[in-house]
Amino acid sequence: MILETEKEVILIDPMLGKQGIMPSFTLFRHKARRNPTAPLPKNINLVLEKVTHCLITHQHPDHIDSAAIKFLNQKSIPVTCSLKDEKAFKKRGLNVVQTLKYWEKQAFLGGTIEGIPAKHGYGFVSKLMGNVIGFFIKLPNQKSIYLTSDTIYTDSVNKVLHNYKPEISVLACGAAQFDIFRPLIMNVDDIIKFIKNSSGKVIANHMESINHCPLTRDELKIILTNNELKDKVFIPEDGEILEIDSW
């Protein structure tokens, strides 16, 4: 995803490798397919040329792959990430200029950014998945944005929705799950709960590009329609540009 303002072009959790360059993340729970399962949008090079900054929520390869590392290093793009990931990213050559702890607010591109706790999975699997951070961003003349990253519905998520009241929330909606263990991000019930508790609009992402994410765009649309939530959610296609000012 890329967030573009009047002055900045912020690349978020880049996965830039070619289709099928990585192995399947599941073998039997979901159809085994090499990842990513979809190609990059055709307009990707034009967009990448404009990038001025990068946000990375965690170290998993579907959020920062080797092709993205190469791109960021070649351009020496400034990176903001979790304090817990700083050492690992610097070791890979990234230009880490800012790190955040959970619930820490800092100046960011003329506005502010705050680190939001994220829990990557229900139960025991969250310990195996490691640390993840979400971001709450307020930039000049822009709507406030909550980037959940890969997380289940937690007290921290609930706090952001009710106390911060983000105008835009970007929610990972693929219902990812490995062959074993419980789901890695919000299940359908918690996706519905998140949307109902959102005072602003929700953008659904993290869908139809990794083989362990079974929930499709069309299935989510049906779920939203049945729960009378379709008007609160936008489900972009790959490469689609959304003008947030029009919301």
Side-chain angles (χ1 to χ4, degrees), residues 39-44 47 217 236-242:
L40 287 165
K42 293 180 179 179
N43 61 341
I44 188 64
V47 176
R217 292 178 172 97
E237 298 295 328
D238 294 340
E240 185 168 354
I241 297 173
L242 174 62

Side-chain angles (χ1 to χ4, degrees), residues 58-85:
H58 59 300
Q59 297 185 44
H60 292 170
D62 56 335
H63 292 258
I64 177 75
D65 64 358
S66 57
I69 292 285
K70 182 178 179 180
F71 166 79
L72 293 171
N73 287 345
Q74 286 177 340
K75 301 284 189 177
S76 194
I77 301 294
V79 170
T80 295
C81 64
S82 167
L83 179 64
K84 296 179 180 180
D85 291 331

Side-chain angles (χ1 to χ4, degrees), residues 2 31 56 73 87 89-90 127 160 180 188 211 218:
I2 287 178
K31 182 180 179 180
I56 307 175
N73 287 345
K87 185 176 180 180
F89 287 151
K90 283 186 173 180
K127 298 183 183 299
V160 172
I180 58 175
V188 169
N211 86 296
D218 286 343

Side-chain angles (χ1 to χ4, degrees), residues 8 13 17 19 21 36 50 52 56 75 91 93 115 132 142 147 158 161 165 175 184 205 214 231 235 239:
E8 309 292 343
D13 282 353
Q19 183 177 1
I21 200 168
K50 301 189 294 180
T52 59
I56 307 175
K75 301 284 189 177
K91 189 174 182 180
V132 184
Q142 304 293 326
L147 304 174
N158 196 62
L161 294 180
K165 299 187 182 302
L184 302 170
N205 77 340
D231 291 341
I235 308 173

Side-chain angles (χ1 to χ4, degrees), residues 12 91 228:
I12 302 167
K91 189 174 182 180
E228 299 181 349

Side-chain angles (χ1 to χ4, degrees), residues 161-180:
L161 294 180
H162 285 95
N163 295 356
Y164 293 31
K165 299 187 182 302
E167 294 170 278
I168 300 290
S169 294
V170 181
L171 179 64
C173 287
Q177 190 169 9
F178 289 140
D179 287 330
I180 58 175

Side-chain angles (χ1 to χ4, degrees), residues 213-237:
C213 293
L215 186 60
T216 67
R217 292 178 172 97
D218 286 343
E219 289 168 344
L220 181 58
K221 289 174 185 176
I222 293 171
I223 291 166
L224 296 174
T225 299
N226 291 341
N227 286 273
E228 299 181 349
L229 293 171
K230 193 173 182 181
D231 291 341
K232 291 188 69 174
V233 183
F234 189 85
I235 308 173
E237 298 295 328

